[in-house]
């Protein structure tokens, strides 16, 4: 993390905290990972400050779209937010690095290790966001992405000729073109119906989300592809954070650090529940396809040129962050 | 705060301010008074958010398609065809009007377009057949409500937007079909009884040769609903794309096949559509501003708890929702009412286990009913302008229709399957 | 005076072109996207929704002034319609003047919003165009609407408006028409 000059005070625990209340906005609904994160965060802060500081978790939608929420945080309308780099990608282009396929490890524990410890992310990328008044205090995963389709995706060739719905961007077009698939833009509200009726052939999301949005009802297969991760950031308004008393800042930092393990377990549990629920839904049978290491290697080979495309062609990308993160990932994967 | 918000809104509305003014002025003033520290940029951003949903693209496109067809001869072709089959039965002209409004409703998303396209030619025919003007107008206003229930429907598009992700416009469209047919049948039955009671003379029965001729002329316009509903149902295209296809079809039909519209007239039809689009979307943008301020102040939770308590039953929620929307739409444009009230009731409806598609049908139905109901339903003023008739003359014969619609409204509340059976 | 009339006419033509072109552009985009996907299995119209979004924003905000000129904004005229001439005249002057002031205030607020968007450097997802390019039409729209409402106020004081209330400069109140002419679809609100 950033500032560590608050340690000298050492008056956390039973120290005096001013009465405050903060709002913590999320991009998800009650019961889903982000909201539960905010609720748990609220409990811990309240406990550590003997109830002096209350945090109010807010569901998605109460205050507008994802873009609105990012602006709300920037303008100080709320103090804290969980946001995904995908939605702030239109301010900080480097946020797109999380959407590269097979750039991060496919092993979830290793992903968690990179997100928690990477300097490229927690210092360099953080500094990029801070230019916009947003401080990401931590990065965590809500689960690896999976593909749902009727085609049963097991190798890059299976993508040939398929239409996939993802959040449209030049990088995503390049990524899926490498497999021979076409990205179709389609509003999220229309996706369930579009999958049901074959308007598009596939979509990507974490397992828990595929289950809660009932996409498995209208798809024959779900491929546990681990091609990238649904990354979320715990963010605060930079000016607000810098203006906090040292003891309060310390409590925030400490809680954010503790939450890393908590949220990793929470998302693992929710994604496992998702898989169980999909398998238990015998009215809508869905084959769960787990990729072998060899199959993943096949995908990685096709995806790698796109990493270079991202590094060299996508505008406003900080190549140093890319290179540094690539090394850090290689270290974790023991290459 | 809520009191300030509502008083500004109501006073300016009743003073005949353009609705966009109170809709944006009230939240801005309330924010300046109660949250002076909040950056106004956040509110302005809502104006963009409000009109950024891609589902909204249906609105200008369906209006454009209807405008092209209204400028052409489509409505007359439909009327001649339907009339040749049922014109001769007891109350035939009235039944034809109801049927034509339903069919035209399947092309157009708005009740007002149906009033203009079907109402004008049909009123002349009904007057000639011996109907009183007030009863012809009352039928036209109320039968045009079907336009909002049968896909495509602008009310449903706005509801899906206000209800948030997870409510599919395609499903709403399909769910509206049975209620729409119910309204048509009820009006048809009433028309037959009325014609018997008033002893309206019968029209001449048309021969099969004539019928065949009118059928051939109406065949292509009749394919319209088949293409739209069929396309959405089979998944060839989404509702937004269906609206694009509707434009393409209307364009090919009127410009190249029937040759009723010269190509160079298309820009001026588009201008008329663009003008309506701007007037409506300014309200949608302002509606988002208004609801955002409500949400920021946590007002929906307060209202919902005050009106519904903490653990309402599904039926109770639907009845309260119906009353709010019915009364709201008697005074204010349905688009505004749906945008502002829907987010207030959605959380309670979800807790009570109400299906959101069912809720959408109830809301759209009440919005249609409210806009045809005196004192201030907007359809009444449209009709007053289109037919150049005084207000009292326009509303004189509406009570029986409103009773029929209220009855159907009750049926829709108690039998969710009427809305849901086609999607399940 | 001649030159002012010419500017006025030119601006109205521009507004008409924008509204008309926006609707035709959206039609092209949405139809093109379906045909590209269903017939050619291609994503060539990937920008369809983004371009349409731009068109909608431009039509919406650039249309405010035009709709004000034509007296076409949706309002609840039940009480107004029953009022006598003098009351209607005073009401219309107040309505247009207050609307004008409020439009200028919104123009100022939304200008600040656009500057905020400009400073974030945010871009759109498909075409990677700066997001502020969309927002910039909000203050422009409010500004032109403010000017239009001011003109709507003024016209009610002129000799031309001696026995007619003007809702907009091109929209005499239909309550004052001796012989109400036939009303066309484009004269009625949705
Ligand atoms: Na399935
Ligand atoms: Na309709």
């Amino acid at each position: 993390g950033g500032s560590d000059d608050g340690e000298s005070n050492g008056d956390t625990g039973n120290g005096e905290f001013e009465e405050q209340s903060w709002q913590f906005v999320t991009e998800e609904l009650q019961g889903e990972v982000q909201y539960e994160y905010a609720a748990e965060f609220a409990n811990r802060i309240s406990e550590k400050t003997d109830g002096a500081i209350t945090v109010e978790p807010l569901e998605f939608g109460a205050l507008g779209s994802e873009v609105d929420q990012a602006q709300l945080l920037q303008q100080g309308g709320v103090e804290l937010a969980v946001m995904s780099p995908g939605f702030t990608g239109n301010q900080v282009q480097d946020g797109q690095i999380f959407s590269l396929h097979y750039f991060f490890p496919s092993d979830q524990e290793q992903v968690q290790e990179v997100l928690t410890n990477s300097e490229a992310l927690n210092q360099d990328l953080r500094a990029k966001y801070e230019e916009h008044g947003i401080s990401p205090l931590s990065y965590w995963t809500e689960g690896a992405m999976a593909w749902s389709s009727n085609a049963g995706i097991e190798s890059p060739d299976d993508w040939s000729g398929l239409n996939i719905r993802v959040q449209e961007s030049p990088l995503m077009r390049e990524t899926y073109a490498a497999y021979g698939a076409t990205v179709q833009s389609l509003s999220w509200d229309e996706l369930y119906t579009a999958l049901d009726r074959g308007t598009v052939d596939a979509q990507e999301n974490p397992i828990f989300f595929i289950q809660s949005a009932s996409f498995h009802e209208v798809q024959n297969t779900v491929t546990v592809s681990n091609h990238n991760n649904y990354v979320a950031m715990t963010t605060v308004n930079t000016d607000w954070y810098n203006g906090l008393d040292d003891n309060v800042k310390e409590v925030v930092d400490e809680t954010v650090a503790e939450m890393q393990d908590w949220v990793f377990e929470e998302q693992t549990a929710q994604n496992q529940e998702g898989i169980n629920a999909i398998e238990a839904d015998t009215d809508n049978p869905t084959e769960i396809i787990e990729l072998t290491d060899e199959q993943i290697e096949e995908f990685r080979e096709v995806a790698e040129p796109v990493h270079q495309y991202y590094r060299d062609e996508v505008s406003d990308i900080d190549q140093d962050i890319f290179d540094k993160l690539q090394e850090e990932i290689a270290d974790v994967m023991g290459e | 705060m809520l009191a300030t918000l509502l008083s500004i809104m109501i006073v300016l509305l009743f003073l005949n301010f353009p609705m966009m003014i109170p809709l944006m002025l009230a939240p801005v003033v309330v924010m300046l008074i109660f949250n002076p520290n909040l950056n106004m940029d956040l509110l302005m951003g809502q104006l963009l958010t409000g009109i950024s949903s891609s589902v909204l693209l249906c609105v200008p496109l369906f209006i454009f398609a209807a405008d092209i067809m209204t400028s052409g001869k489509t409505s007359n072709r439909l009327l001649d065809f339907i009339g040749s089959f049922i014109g001769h039965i007891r109350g035939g002209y009235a039944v034809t009007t109801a049927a034509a409004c339903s069919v035209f409703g399947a092309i157009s998303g708005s009740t007002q377009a149906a009033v203009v396209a079907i109402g004008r030619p049909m009123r002349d025919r009904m007057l000639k057949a011996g109907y009183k003007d007030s009863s012809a107008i009352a039928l036209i206003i109320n039968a045009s409500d079907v336009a909002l229930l049968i896909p495509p429907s602008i009310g449903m598009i706005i509801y899906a937007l206000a209800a948030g992700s997870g409510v599919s416009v395609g499903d709403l469209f399909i769910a509206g079909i049975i209620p729409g047919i119910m309204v048509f049948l009820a009006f048809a039955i009433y028309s037959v009884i009325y014609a018997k009671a008033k002893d309206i003379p019968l029209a001449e029965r048309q021969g099969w040769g004539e019928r065949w001729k009118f059928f051939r002329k109406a065949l292509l316009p009749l394919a319209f609903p088949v293409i739209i509903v069929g396309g959405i149902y089979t998944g060839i295209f989404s509702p937004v794309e269906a609206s694009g296809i509707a434009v393409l079809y209307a364009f090919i039909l009127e410009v190249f096949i029937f040759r009723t519209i010269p190509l160079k007239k298309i820009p001026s039809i588009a201008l008329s559509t663009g003008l309506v689009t701007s007037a409506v979307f300014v309200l949608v943008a302002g509606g988002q501003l208004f609801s955002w301020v409500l949400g920021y102040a946590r007002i929906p939770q307060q209202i919902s708890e005050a009106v519904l308590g903490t653990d309402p039953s599904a039926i109770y929620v639907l009845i309260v929702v119906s009353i709010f929307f019915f009364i709201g739409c008697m005074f204010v444009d349905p688009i505004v009412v749906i945008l502002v009230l829907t987010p207030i009731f959605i959380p309670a409806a979800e807790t009570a286990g109400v299906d959101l598609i069912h809720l959408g049908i109830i809301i759209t139905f009440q919005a249609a009913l409210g806009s045809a109901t005196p004192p201030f339903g907007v359809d009444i003023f449209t009709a007053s302008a289109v037919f150049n008739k005084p207000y009292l003359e326009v509303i004189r014969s509406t009570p029986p229709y409103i009773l029929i619609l209220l009855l159907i409204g009750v049926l829709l509340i108690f039998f969710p399957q009427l809305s849901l059976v086609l999607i399940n | 005076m001649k030159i002012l009339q010419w500017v006025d006419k030119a601006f109205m033509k521009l507004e008409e072109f924008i509204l008309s072109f926006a609707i035709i552009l959206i039609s092209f985009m949405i139809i093109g996207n379906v045909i590209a996907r269903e017939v050619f299995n291609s994503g060539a119209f990937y920008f369809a929704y983004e371009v349409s979004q731009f068109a909608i924003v431009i039509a919406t905000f650039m249309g405010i002034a035009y709709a004000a000129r034509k007296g076409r904004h949706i309002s609840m005229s039940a009480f107004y319609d029953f009022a006598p001439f003098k009351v209607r005249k005073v009401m219309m002057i107040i309505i247009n003047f207050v609307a004008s002031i409020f439009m200028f205030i919104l123009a100022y607020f939304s200008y600040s919003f656009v500057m905020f968007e400009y400073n974030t450097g945010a871009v759109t997802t498909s075409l990677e165009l700066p997001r502020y390019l969309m927002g910039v039409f909000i203050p422009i729209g409010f500004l032109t609407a403010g000017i239009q409402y001011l003109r709507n106020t003024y016209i009610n004081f002129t000799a031309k408006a001696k026995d007619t209330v003007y809702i907009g400069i091109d929209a005499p109140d239909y309550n004052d028409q001796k012989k109400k002419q036939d009303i066309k679809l484009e004269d009625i609100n949705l």
Side-chain angles (χ1 to χ4, degrees):
Chain A
S3 61
D4 41 0
D5 51 13
E7 279 169 20
S8 52
N9 287 345
D11 61 355
T12 46
N14 56 359
E16 288 290 298
F17 290 99
E18 240 180 273
E19 295 254 336
Q20 299 185 45
S21 79
W22 306 337
Q23 290 189 307
F24 194 160
V25 66
T26 70
E27 291 172 349
E28 288 173 6
L29 304 180
Q30 239 170 66
E32 297 179 317
V33 179
Q34 290 188 10
Y35 183 90
E36 293 308 309
Y37 178 99
E40 176 67 22
F41 182 90
N43 285 341
R44 293 187 183 206
I45 293 283
S46 168
E47 224 166 75
K48 288 179 194 195
T49 60
D50 292 325
I53 299 179
T54 50
V55 181
E56 184 187 11
L58 295 175
E59 281 193 320
F60 176 66
L63 300 173
S65 67
E66 290 91 346
V67 175
D68 295 333
Q69 293 188 356
Q71 294 188 350
L72 195 60
L73 184 84
Q74 281 173 289
Q75 307 259 16
V78 295
E79 288 79 11
L80 304 110
V82 178
M83 53 176 94
S84 46
F87 288 113
T88 50
N90 39 35
Q91 285 191 38
V92 180
Q93 292 300 321
D94 301 273
Q96 291 187 57
I97 202 162
F98 299 106
S99 63
L100 289 174
H101 284 198
Y102 298 104
F103 180 68
F104 279 74
S106 3
D107 179 277
Q108 288 298 292
E109 308 245 344
Q110 292 180 340
V111 171
Q112 170 77 355
E113 200 182 326
V114 174
L115 293 178
T116 308
N117 301 328
S118 158
E119 247 184 50
L121 298 179
N122 290 292
Q123 284 178 17
D124 306 347
L125 184 58
R126 174 172 172 162
K128 287 253 165 186
Y129 275 100
E130 286 183 337
E131 289 170 19
H132 296 269
I134 298 173
S135 292
L137 301 183
S138 65
Y139 302 83
W140 37 275
T141 170
E142 287 188 54
M145 289 290 208
W147 288 310
S148 77
S149 74
N150 289 341
I153 309 243
E154 293 181 31
S155 79
D157 293 340
D158 294 331
W159 274 112
S160 170
L162 295 190
N163 285 320
I164 178 164
R165 185 272 180 194
V166 290
Q167 176 67 50
E168 220 274 328
S169 74
L171 180 61
M172 280 302 104
R173 287 202 295 279
E174 194 72 20
T175 302
Y176 280 97
Y179 304 141
T182 308
V183 168
Q184 294 290 352
S185 48
L186 191 77
S187 110
W188 147 250
D189 312 340
E190 299 181 318
L191 183 52
Y192 178 92
T193 324
L195 290 168
D196 188 17
R197 294 169 188 159
T199 316
V200 292
D201 306 304
Q203 62 87 37
E204 57 162 35
N205 262 304
I207 303 262
F208 84 92
F209 200 83
I210 293 178
Q211 192 269 326
S212 72
S214 306
F215 292 147
H216 67 285
E217 293 176 7
V218 291
Q219 301 267 269
N220 296 337
T221 72
V222 169
T223 303
V224 185
S225 51
N226 292 11
H227 57 274
N228 62 25
N229 301 280
Y230 193 90
V231 171
M233 312 187 288
T234 304
T235 61
V236 289
N237 174 291
T238 305
D239 292 337
W240 171 81
Y241 176 77
N242 290 338
L244 287 178
D245 291 343
D246 287 340
N247 58 343
V248 178
K249 200 184 276 180
E250 206 170 299
V251 168
V252 171
D253 286 345
E254 183 187 287
T255 312
V256 167
E258 291 167 14
M259 289 295 293
Q260 285 298 91
D261 285 343
W262 183 90
V263 75
F264 187 72
E265 277 169 33
E266 175 70 17
Q267 65 86 18
T268 310
Q270 286 215 17
N271 282 302
Q272 190 53 50
E273 271 171 42
I275 289 222
N276 295 346
I278 290 174
E279 285 179 333
D281 183 1
T282 45
D283 290 343
N284 301 292
T286 309
E287 187 191 350
I288 307 282
I289 300 172
E290 306 253 7
L291 296 184
T292 63
D293 289 348
E294 290 75 36
Q295 285 170 322
I296 286 183
E297 214 36 57
E298 240 186 288
F299 274 107
R300 194 185 300 276
E301 261 170 46
V302 183
E304 249 164 8
V306 184
H307 302 171
Q308 287 311 311
Y309 163 86
Y310 166 83
R311 184 187 181 281
D312 302 331
E313 305 290 331
V314 174
S315 48
D316 296 327
I317 291 300
D318 187 329
Q319 301 185 336
D320 295 338
I321 292 183
F322 177 92
D323 296 339
K324 191 167 174 182
L325 184 57
Q326 197 172 35
E327 269 176 41
E328 288 171 341
I329 290 172
D331 282 347
V332 169
M333 290 173 76
E335 278 169 17
Chain B
M1 174 164 169
L2 181 61
T4 318
L5 197 70
L6 289 181
S7 2
I8 296 176
M9 179 88 184
I10 290 168
V11 169
L12 295 188
L13 260 180
F14 278 50
L15 285 176
N16 188 33
F17 270 83
M19 275 186 203
M20 63 157 178
I21 303 286
L23 204 53
M24 296 189 285
L25 186 71
V28 166
V29 168
V30 161
M31 263 341 212
L32 289 173
I33 297 175
F34 294 93
N35 278 300
N37 296 326
L38 196 84
N39 198 317
M40 207 43 85
D41 296 355
L42 290 168
L43 257 72
M44 294 301 111
Q46 294 307 309
L47 294 173
L48 267 192
T49 303
I51 56 174
S52 290
S53 168
S54 55
V55 157
L56 278 176
L57 294 170
C58 285
V59 175
L61 294 181
F62 279 130
I63 297 178
F64 192 28
D67 278 357
I68 293 175
M69 297 205 120
T70 310
S71 307
K73 290 273 182 289
T74 304
S75 44
N76 280 325
R77 286 168 191 268
L78 290 174
L79 287 176
D80 288 339
F81 163 68
I82 298 170
S84 73
F85 276 81
I86 47 181
H88 64 280
I89 62 166
R90 192 58 81 177
Y93 280 106
V95 180
T96 304
T97 305
C101 283
S102 309
V103 175
F104 191 81
I107 295 170
S108 143
S110 90
T111 55
Q112 272 95 333
V115 169
V116 177
I118 301 297
R120 252 197 319 204
M122 215 44 221
R123 171 168 164 259
D124 297 340
R125 299 181 190 205
M126 286 179 76
L127 291 181
K128 268 190 214 133
Y131 283 86
K132 268 196 320 193
D133 203 6
S134 70
S135 49
I137 293 177
L139 172 64
I140 290 165
I141 294 176
N142 287 282
S144 301
D145 283 351
V146 182
L148 221 51
L149 286 172
I150 289 187
S153 154
I154 289 171
M156 289 178 192
I157 296 166
I158 303 286
Y159 167 79
L161 179 76
S165 59
V167 177
S168 141
V169 175
D171 283 351
L172 280 168
F173 277 7
I174 287 158
I177 293 176
I178 291 181
I181 292 174
M182 284 169 66
V183 173
F184 160 67
L185 287 178
F187 285 177
I189 292 166
Y190 172 76
S191 299
V192 172
I193 295 170
Y194 176 89
K196 260 208 172 100
K198 300 275 163 174
D199 209 20
I200 308 262
L202 296 178
E204 202 182 315
R205 177 192 283 268
Q206 307 264 12
W208 282 101
E210 284 291 294
R211 286 177 181 175
W212 174 244
K213 193 185 90 194
F214 287 130
F215 172 69
R216 276 206 329 238
K217 283 180 124 176
L219 184 60
L220 289 173
L222 282 173
F224 217 101
V226 178
I227 293 174
I228 292 173
V229 180
I232 294 173
Y233 207 86
T234 55
I236 299 173
F237 32 74
S238 69
V240 174
E241 294 167 353
S243 65
I245 297 298
V247 170
L248 182 66
Y249 189 65
F251 176 74
I252 292 175
L253 221 55
E254 299 290 356
V255 176
F256 294 110
I257 299 179
F258 298 153
R259 294 168 189 264
T260 42
I261 302 175
L263 188 59
K264 65 174 194 296
K265 212 190 150 202
I266 291 293
S268 75
I269 298 176
L271 171 61
S272 148
T273 306
L275 182 51
V276 173
T277 302
S278 172
V280 169
F281 276 49
V282 156
L283 294 182
V284 176
Q288 173 68 22
L289 189 65
F290 195 94
S291 341
W292 191 88
V293 169
L294 287 184
Y296 193 75
R298 305 237 153 247
I299 289 173
Q301 289 82 347
Q302 294 164 23
I303 294 187
S304 165
E305 265 191 47
V307 185
L308 295 167
T310 43
D311 188 24
S313 71
I315 295 286
Y316 183 65
V317 169
L318 288 172
I319 291 173
V320 170
V321 163
S322 295
I323 293 171
F324 267 78
F325 278 82
F326 173 62
I327 295 177
C329 292
M330 281 164 62
F331 293 90
V332 182
D333 193 86
I335 291 173
V336 176
V337 176
I338 294 175
L339 277 170
V340 170
L341 290 188
T342 302
I344 293 180
F345 289 108
I346 286 281
E350 278 184 317
T351 331
V354 177
D355 186 292
L356 291 187
I357 299 292
H358 183 208
L359 182 71
I361 298 301
I362 299 291
I363 284 177
T364 315
F365 184 87
Q366 294 299 334
L369 173 52
S371 16
T373 304
F376 305 124
V378 286
D379 288 358
I380 295 171
F381 294 99
T382 308
S384 170
V386 173
F387 303 126
N388 203 354
K389 277 279 159 189
Y391 174 81
L392 287 176
E393 180 78 8
V394 171
I395 63 170
R396 178 163 304 145
S397 302
T398 53
Y401 294 101
I402 289 165
L403 276 179
I404 293 173
L405 288 170
L406 280 173
L407 193 70
I408 296 177
V410 172
L411 288 177
L412 291 179
I413 291 176
F414 285 95
F415 300 98
Q417 281 311 314
L418 291 173
S419 313
L420 300 176
V421 72
L422 286 186
I423 17 176
N424 293 340
Chain C
M1 249 0 237
K2 264 265 161 65
I3 215 157
L4 279 181
Q5 274 172 5
W6 185 86
V7 169
D8 178 46
K9 190 106 192 275
F11 202 79
M12 190 176 92
K13 286 285 163 214
L14 178 69
E15 286 173 333
E16 289 182 343
F17 173 78
I18 289 174
L19 284 175
S20 167
F21 181 73
I23 298 301
I24 293 171
L25 182 65
I26 296 169
S27 309
F28 266 107
M29 288 297 134
I30 302 301
I31 295 168
N33 189 40
V34 183
I35 294 177
R37 188 188 63 230
E38 293 301 322
V39 183
F40 300 101
N41 198 30
S42 130
F45 269 73
Y46 63 87
F47 46 74
Y49 284 91
E50 219 169 87
V51 171
S52 302
Q53 213 86 74
F54 263 94
I56 281 287
V57 170
I58 295 170
T60 300
F61 291 98
M62 295 310 288
I64 301 180
Y66 187 71
R69 166 198 286 270
K70 301 280 175 190
R72 290 287 305 281
H73 282 292
I74 299 169
S75 68
M76 210 280 287
S77 63
F79 293 120
Y80 169 87
D81 283 344
F82 286 113
F85 176 80
K86 275 195 177 151
V87 176
R88 279 189 288 120
K89 182 119 222 177
V90 172
M91 277 172 85
M92 245 335 134
I93 288 171
I94 294 174
I95 287 169
N96 279 304
F97 187 68
V98 172
S100 159
I101 301 300
F102 184 54
M103 289 291 116
F104 288 132
I105 293 173
L106 285 182
Y108 169 75
F109 284 148
S110 53
Y111 165 75
S112 150
F113 165 71
V114 174
M115 288 316 290
F116 167 75
E117 287 245 301
Y118 176 78
N119 289 324
T120 63
V123 295
T124 61
T125 47
S126 287
L127 292 170
E128 302 194 311
L129 295 167
R131 266 178 60 91
Y132 77 86
L133 284 183
M134 204 183 289
V136 79
F137 289 96
I138 308 179
I140 296 176
F142 284 137
L143 186 67
T144 52
I147 296 170
Q148 187 59 52
Y149 275 117
L150 216 47
R151 300 177 65 202
N152 289 355
T153 315
Y154 171 73
I155 195 172
N156 277 301
F157 288 105
T158 59
K160 184 179 164 191
K162 196 159 62 73
D163 41 29
T164 309
V165 179
Y166 278 84
I167 297 172
I169 59 171
D170 288 356
D173 187 340
Y174 63 83
N175 290 305
D176 297 325
Q177 309 289 81
K178 290 257 159 44
K179 185 178 173 299
K180 301 183 183 180
Q181 73 260 57
D182 193 30
I183 292 164
K184 293 195 287 298
L185 176 66
E186 48 268 36
D187 301 326
I188 300 163
N189 291 318
L190 173 82

